[in-house]
């Protein structure tokens, strides 16, 4: 299976400051069709995951533009340009390139300092 | 807008069968471009994809190796839903179970159902 490794696992951030989460895969996520199926999810306490970003950098409808995704191959980053209180939660990356064995990162817990 | 609603018992005895249902609105289980998945989340194992079904002229099923001998996913076109059956459960199967749609061409999960906490205990 493809192993997804996130860092840091805990991310205390001051309101209004930027935040970045790294996600590394044990194999390249470039699919034979040319796409890279790397997704970012946000999970707020007590809620099911919400998709933020798909195919590395495509932001979902309704997701604030302070969220952005970047990267290629095996290294990916989720960036929040200015953290707001509602961003508290756990963030996960997931690969869908090597389907059907979808695999997730361990999660990064974002909290406000 | 696709929405998923889950139902099923929250407590299952060891060695019995866990069964959950996911009702779809805004799409059809027999869509020829989406896929319908079950995923679980536990503190010890994180997120674990369990399996999926999809229709492409015929019904297809993929299951995770870790549960392949115990899992069945059953689509029901008359009720526009799909169900998860996991037999011979142990306390290690205690988790929050989610259904989720894999949209056409995305290889991802969107949206997710609300989740069902299933506890395996006597």
């Amino acid at each position: 299976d493809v192993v997804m490794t996130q860092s840091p696992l805990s991310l205390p951030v001051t309101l209004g400051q930027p935040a970045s989460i790294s996600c590394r895969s044990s194999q390249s996520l470039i699919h034979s069709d040319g796409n890279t199926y790397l997704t970012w999810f946000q999970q707020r306490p007590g809620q099911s995951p919400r998709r933020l970003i798909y195919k590395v950098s495509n932001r979902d409808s309704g997701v604030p533009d302070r969220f952005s995704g970047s990267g290629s191959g095996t290294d990916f980053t989720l960036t929040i340009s200015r953290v707001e209180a509602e961003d508290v939660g756990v963030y996960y990356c997931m690969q869908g390139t090597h389907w059907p064995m979808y695999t997730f990162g361990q999660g990064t817990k974002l909290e406000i300092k | 807008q696709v929405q998923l609603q889950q139902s099923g018992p929250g407590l299952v005895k060891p060695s019995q069968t866990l069964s959950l249902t996911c009702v779809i609105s805004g799409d059809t289980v027999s869509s020829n471009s989406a896929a319908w998945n079950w995923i679980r989340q536990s503190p010890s194992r994180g997120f674990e994809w369990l399996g999926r079904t999809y229709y492409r002229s015929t019904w297809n099923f993929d299951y995770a190796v870790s549960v392949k001998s115990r899992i069945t996913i059953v689509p029901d076109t008359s009720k526009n839903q799909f169900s998860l059956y996991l037999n011979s459960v142990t306390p290690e199967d205690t988790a929050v179970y989610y259904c989720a749609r894999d949209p056409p061409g995305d290889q991802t999960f969107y949206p997710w159902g609300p989740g069902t906490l299933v506890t395996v205990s006597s």
Side-chain angles (χ1 to χ4, degrees), chain A residues 15-43:
Chain A
L15 286 174
Q17 293 300 302
S20 283
I21 300 169
S22 169
C23 176
R24 289 186 172 167
S25 57
S26 61
Q27 300 177 35
S28 173
L29 297 188
I30 302 173
H31 193 273
S32 57
D33 66 8
N35 288 305
T36 299
Y37 296 104
L38 187 284
T39 300
W40 289 99
F41 296 100
Q42 174 196 61
Q43 188 175 35

